[in-house]
Amino acid sequence: PELFLLALPFVLLLRGRMLAHPVVLLLRCLALACVLTVLAEPYVPGAATGRDRVVVLDRSYSAPASGLERASEAAKLARSRALPGDRLGLVTFGRDAVIETAPSEEFRFANPTRSLDRDGTDLATALETALATIPDGRQGSVLLISDGESTGKDCQLALLEARRRGIRIDTVPLL
């Protein structure tokens, strides 16, 4: 909306030409309003409802094998409690993170198949990847299933981004 303030400089630039024929003046004003409206990128929320839930599973070598079972249980529980419009997705990580399944209403848990480097544990990259699967403006939450050991960068920026967007991060510790 701030871009509509650009109308003032345009009016000042065109002030000598504003005394033109009334039809030309009207067309110029309409053209200026159309251009500024496009630049302002107006957004009208759609009818989409629901929440995106992303399960983030630690597949590093340090994480116990029980993580896969817990992720499956969490996905089944989320599916059973899903409301219309809710979507569920899965992100797995080690040293890097991969999107196994983007959030979808038809989500069915399957064993992770995508290859990743399991020699490290980068929680920050995993959280950033999970947050990237949740569109801006949509409600969401992340369920992190991990042993909590991180060998990657600091998670602070990812946590601040989640907080800014109102996305809750829950954790399930793997012992």
Side-chain angles (χ1 to χ4, degrees):
E2 298 86 20
L3 287 174
F4 284 109
L5 294 175
L6 290 177
L8 297 175
F10 281 115
V11 170
L12 291 175
L13 286 173
L14 299 175
R15 72 175 177 250
R17 297 180 183 197
M18 290 298 229
L19 300 175
H21 193 274
V23 174
V24 174
L25 177 62
L26 179 66
L27 290 175
R28 285 181 181 161
C29 288
L30 283 174
L32 177 62
C34 289
V35 168
L36 290 177
T37 301
V38 168
L39 289 175
E41 297 179 6
Y43 171 74
V44 177
T49 59
R51 167 189 273 317
D52 284 355
R53 291 179 172 93
V54 181
V55 176
V56 180
L57 174 62
D58 186 347
R59 289 183 53 209
S60 65
Y61 288 126
S62 67
S66 64
L68 193 58
E69 182 181 319
R70 287 205 179 181
S72 175
E73 290 172 9
K76 286 177 186 172
L77 182 62
R79 252 340 318 135
S80 70
R81 295 184 177 178
L83 299 173
D86 285 358
R87 303 184 313 177
L88 186 63
L90 176 65
V91 171
T92 59
F93 73 101
R95 183 173 292 176
D96 52 354
V98 295
I99 300 170
E100 293 284 344
T101 308
S104 166
E105 288 186 49
E106 295 82 32
F107 179 87
R108 298 289 176 249
F109 187 85
N111 286 342
T113 58
R114 302 194 115 182
S115 64
L116 53 82
D117 185 356
R118 298 178 65 186
D119 284 329
T121 308
D122 193 343
L123 288 171
T125 299
L127 292 173
E128 290 166 359
T129 303
L131 292 173
T133 66
I134 303 171
D136 282 337
R138 184 160 166 94
Q139 292 183 345
S141 62
V142 173
L143 177 64
L144 175 64
I145 301 173
S146 174
D147 60 2
E149 294 182 30
S150 182
T151 58
K153 59 187 177 182
D154 187 26
C155 297
Q156 193 65 30
L157 289 177
L159 296 174
L160 288 173
E161 175 65 13
R163 183 175 183 181
R164 182 189 69 78
R165 292 177 52 193
I167 296 174
R168 189 181 74 219
I169 298 176
D170 297 312
T171 60
V172 174
L174 294 176
L175 306 173

